[in-house]
Amino acid sequence: MKYIRANYQEIYEILEKNNGIIESEYLKDIFYAFQIASGQEYFKSRTQAIIDYFNKNAFIIIKYQGRQVEIRTLNELEKCLQTFDSEFVLGILRKDV
């Protein structure tokens, strides 16, 4: 799968710097790109960074305004990401591997 390294690194570094915490606004931005054809590499790069961080650390917190969601399994991660796009499945990222 092709990734835009700068997009991947930015999200991965945010997760590392914040010990696995990421603002939901980043996810909204990522899924906006998912819905437009020109944003596919941006989407794939940033989403893969989240998955790679999760696979290494097995814990992510998504911060929303007024609450936060703790993610401890890939299934929970997928369900959380589906709040941004109900059709999203993690498996779509593996199609280009």
Side-chain angles (χ1 to χ4, degrees), residues 20-91:
I21 299 172
I22 189 167
E23 297 287 336
S24 64
E25 294 303 314
Y26 287 105
L27 299 178
K28 285 181 188 175
D29 180 51
I30 291 168
F31 275 87
Y32 175 74
F34 180 57
Q35 299 186 4
I36 57 174
S38 62
Q40 294 303 305
E41 293 305 321
Y42 178 90
F43 167 79
K44 290 175 184 177
S45 299
R46 289 180 171 244
T47 306
Q48 191 62 51
I50 293 168
I51 292 167
D52 289 350
Y53 179 88
F54 179 81
N55 284 333
K56 180 180 175 189
N57 297 285
F59 183 75
I60 291 177
I61 294 175
I62 313 277
K63 290 187 83 171
Y64 296 87
Q65 201 170 30
R67 70 182 176 100
Q68 64 184 33
V69 176
E70 295 181 4
I71 307 294
R72 296 185 185 273
T73 68
L74 283 174
N75 189 42
E76 288 175 355
L77 178 60
E78 183 175 70
K79 285 183 186 219
C80 181
L81 296 177
Q82 287 173 343
T83 64
F84 297 94
D85 185 316
S86 62
E87 300 298 316
F88 176 76
V89 291
L90 288 174

